[in-house]
Amino acid sequence: MYLQYGNMTLEPAIVKYLEKHDGRWPSSWDDLQPYYKDLLLPVHTTRFIRKYYSIAWDVDLYEIYEKNKEPPADGAISNYKDDLCTVVYRHSREGPGDDKRRWILTPRIHQFIHDRAKQTPAPR
């Protein structure tokens, strides 16, 4: 269940965190936990989802967005055959990656950054 549908609640939890923290990316599961509601249990715990999904905690969302402003495909969580990987990914499909990995945003996170970029005035 978590492997198949886990991202349905994980990505919205990340966006909620971004909204509440002025667009700052979470740095750990502990940061994200209050915003994530478990798929099966009526509690805010990431205990089970982290067995199936990983998050690239040390990325700069805005830098990733600037490199590719085109929205990712709807199935962006799926396994990429080259060095691309979404910032939220399944362990079983993509593994931990390496230093050569190029990150892309998932659709909801990309939309959040895109909307935020439109609202932020350009520096003078």
Side-chain angles (χ1 to χ4, degrees):
M1 182 86 155
Y2 291 95
L3 182 58
Q4 193 69 22
Y5 301 106
N7 196 46
M8 289 173 51
T9 54
L10 186 54
E11 229 185 314
I14 292 170
V15 171
K16 283 182 197 172
Y17 180 90
L18 293 169
E19 290 169 351
K20 297 287 185 183
H21 293 89
D22 198 32
R24 193 183 72 221
W25 187 239
S27 61
S28 70
W29 286 107
D30 290 338
D31 286 351
L32 193 56
Q33 189 155 296
Y35 303 93
Y36 178 79
K37 190 166 182 185
D38 188 80
L39 280 171
L40 302 174
L41 304 172
V43 294
H44 292 278
T45 181
T46 60
R47 179 177 174 199
F48 302 107
I49 192 71
R50 51 173 104 175
K51 291 179 182 181
Y52 301 97
Y53 282 86
S54 289
I55 297 174
W57 302 114
D58 298 324
V59 297
D60 182 336
L61 295 182
Y62 302 92
E63 183 179 310
I64 294 169
Y65 176 79
E66 285 301 318
K67 288 180 181 177
N68 189 5
K69 291 186 179 182
E70 291 298 314
D74 286 339
I77 220 53
S78 61
N79 185 22
Y80 286 96
K81 300 296 182 198
D82 57 12
D83 61 344
L84 289 177
C85 183
T86 56
V87 294
V88 177
Y89 59 95
R90 295 182 205 176
H91 294 253
S92 65
R93 298 258 181 150
E94 295 166 340
D98 57 31
D99 292 339
K100 296 177 184 169
R101 179 163 283 171
R102 289 185 301 137
W103 297 107
I104 60 171
L105 303 176
T106 57
R108 287 183 181 149
I109 295 169
H110 183 276
Q111 188 63 49
F112 173 85
I113 302 299
H114 178 76
D115 292 346
R116 186 175 169 87
K118 289 189 330 190
Q119 296 171 0
T120 306
R124 294 180 188 227

